[in-house]
Amino acid sequence: MILAPLCAVSLIVVSITLWIKYKKTYTHWTKLGLKQRTTPWPLLGDFWPLCLGRMNLIELMDYFYYLNPESRYEAIYHLSYPAILLKDPDLIKQLAVKDFDYFTDRVNIAPSEEADGLWSNNLVALKGKKWRDMKLLLSGAFTSSKMRFLYQIISETSEDFVKHFLDKPEALIEVDLKEAFRMFSSDVIATSAFGVKVDSIENPHNEFFEMGKAATNFQGFLTVIKFFLLFLFPWLFRKLKIGFFPQKVITFFTNLIQDTVATREELNIVRPDVLQLLLEVKNGPRTELNVEKDRQFISSRLRMKEHSITNQDIVSHAFAFLLAGYETVSSTLSFTCHELAVNAHVQDKLRKEINETLDKCDGSITYEALLGMKYLGMVLSESLRKWPVIPVLDRVCVQQYTIPATRKEPAVSLNAGDRILISSRSIHHDVQYYAEPNKFDPDRFEENVINPFTYMPFGVGPRSCIGNRFAFLEIKLVLCDLLRNFEIVPVEKTQIPLKFAKRSMAVDVEKGFIVGLKRVKN
């Protein structure tokens, strides 16, 4: 008899407690005098349409961005965290660059450090001083001299990739670009970061490619739910030792790196790649690589002498290299080739530049010649503007900060833990900065007068991607090899215009990137 009233009272108490917490959490900005233009849901905040599959990430961020076109920022709730969406380029510059020390950290997608140690120790996830030290060190892996050495490795991978299609007898080869370029980027990462040789286009079921695909699979309703639950209840994931990445993926890449490291150390193998650089942090520099001539590397070593690095750190950084390059490179190549297929005049102009460069280089494009190809750079820049594969940037406030007031907007007080979001894709499509933003027009980059805070495909400020030079290198190489041999054309299955998929945490399209390859007539 007593049990029923007790249950009722308990339910009322819990309901009241949750209501108080809800009101406290989701009235944060209104208490500070800011206009609340959204309707946050408990736990999910303003991201409930994404969680429920009502909107994809692109649609949701555009919705936030255009709530009030006159404002410099928008006050929203990133799940249960207060967040400010920055829209004004000058304000982005102020917070992301000038006052960077207040916003040094990023939102961690894998709070369960014990279960996701493969991710937690890399440059993307590290915070504070650990991040600063590691950023200084890893910058030495992407100097011009390192890229020049890696050029030959990437070039060979690109040639093998294109040869696969040259060997096919069909006059018109129908290709799923995303899947094909995933194989290419997987092979490049395998040889340059993991020190292993694979050929995924010929052997698509090799374990390295399959595990890379599993690690970067962010599609499906269940994945979206897991992603949000991980953000909402990180303590539960830590308690249960549940990670964001499948255990089979963690085990595979951990064993691969540890075996490679053991082999190199045992047989005294020296290979100037990303993995070798990390080994030198652990064991000391190798004169065989002429590191005494690399001033940036020496400076990094001196600054890092108090920081110890373990094999697990090496595994984590190599895995981050896989995640950063696998999806972003394949997506950028897919969007670029789609645009070339539906904009034949751009493709013809680019092929002309490629052929002229080949003639100057006696049929084999050199590293220096590739860097000097202006129109190729313009095409790639426009592709990254229209289709940025990292559409949202984030930062976490690490100490009290105040956004100054203007005549139209009050000052905003940010506390440690509050979040900053930047919808780079929305800015890239804002008519204030780009006329006809939905038009693919490489010529807009001819004069190189773009405001860097309205163009952020690789991030912004000190925490921008340090591997962008590497990514540009492999993308440019394979585009040259592909276009010198093939014309990319639309086919019946080509989706025009492209439409973003609804239930995906990554930037993906509904019907894939299907095009045709026709051999170029000599």
Side-chain angles (χ1 to χ4, degrees), residues 96-110:
V97 179
K98 293 183 177 180
D99 293 332
F100 172 74
D101 287 342
Y102 293 86
F103 304 95
T104 58
D105 296 345
R106 298 184 61 180
V107 176
N108 194 350
I109 67 166

Side-chain angles (χ1 to χ4, degrees), residues 64-65 240 263 331 362 393 460 474:
F64 294 148
Y65 187 83
L240 299 177
T263 300
S331 292
D362 296 325
L393 311 175
V460 61
E474 59 176 308

Side-chain angles (χ1 to χ4, degrees), residues 403-416:
I403 299 177
T406 64
R407 292 182 179 180
K408 295 182 179 180
E409 295 173 324
V412 182
S413 179
L414 299 176
N415 300 318

Side-chain angles (χ1 to χ4, degrees), residues 184-376:
F184 167 71
S185 59
S186 175
D187 290 356
V188 171
I189 292 166
T191 186
S192 60
F194 288 81
V196 296
K197 174 74 173 177
V198 293
D199 189 352
S200 299
I201 197 71
E202 291 291 341
N203 178 22
H205 299 295
N206 72 80
E207 195 171 10
F208 189 95
F209 177 66
E210 291 293 338
M211 289 299 171
K213 190 159 58 173
T216 56
N217 180 18
F218 301 122
Q219 294 183 324
F221 183 69
L222 292 179
T223 300
V224 174
I225 293 298
K226 181 179 180 179
F227 189 84
F228 277 97
L229 288 176
L230 189 147
F231 268 111
L232 291 169
F233 307 110
W235 56 270
L236 181 60
F237 277 68
R238 286 193 294 269
K239 186 74 173 177
L240 299 177
K241 297 181 180 180
I242 300 174
F244 184 73
F245 301 100
Q247 186 58 47
K248 65 178 182 179
V249 170
I250 295 174
T251 301
F252 172 77
F253 286 110
T254 299
N255 291 341
L256 177 61
I257 286 291
Q258 288 181 344
D259 290 346
T260 305
V261 167
T263 300
R264 289 194 183 188
E265 292 180 337
E266 180 182 351
L267 301 179
N268 200 29
I269 296 173
V270 176
R271 189 173 188 262
D273 54 16
V274 177
L275 180 56
Q276 187 65 42
L277 181 67
L278 294 172
L279 283 172
E280 289 175 355
V281 178
K282 176 188 174 189
N283 301 324
R286 297 293 300 268
T287 56
E288 293 94 326
L289 296 181
N290 293 319
V291 293
E292 68 276 10
K293 296 180 181 179
D294 193 333
R295 294 181 179 180
Q296 185 174 3
F297 181 83
I298 291 175
S299 173
S300 301
R301 284 286 304 164
L302 292 174
R303 291 282 300 276
M304 287 290 292
K305 62 184 179 181
E306 63 186 52
H307 177 72
S308 61
I309 186 169
T310 66
N311 281 354
Q312 185 60 35
D313 293 325
I314 294 175
V315 173
S316 185
H317 291 304
F319 184 66
F321 199 75
L322 169 75
L323 292 182
Y326 184 92
E327 192 66 26
T328 55
V329 168
S330 61
S331 292
T332 299
L333 280 166
S334 298
F335 281 117
T336 302
C337 287
H338 173 86
E339 289 291 352
L340 293 174
V342 298
N343 294 277
H345 65 289
V346 175
Q347 184 178 168
D348 291 341
K349 186 175 179 179
L350 178 55
R351 184 177 292 105
K352 180 181 178 182
E353 182 185 58
I354 292 170
N355 289 331
E356 289 174 350
T357 305
L358 284 165
D359 290 341
K360 293 177 183 177
C361 298
D362 296 325
S364 181
I365 297 177
T366 64
Y367 174 71
E368 290 75 16
L370 186 73
L371 297 185
M373 296 177 68
K374 182 178 179 180
Y375 194 65
L376 175 59

Side-chain angles (χ1 to χ4, degrees), residues 490-514:
V491 293
E492 184 178 349
K493 295 181 181 178
T494 303
Q495 186 180 42
I496 305 174
L498 292 174
K499 294 182 181 180
F500 290 111
K502 283 286 185 184
R503 292 179 175 177
S504 175
M505 295 303 300
V507 178
D508 216 341
V509 295
E510 284 182 347
K511 298 182 180 180
F513 298 89
I514 311 298

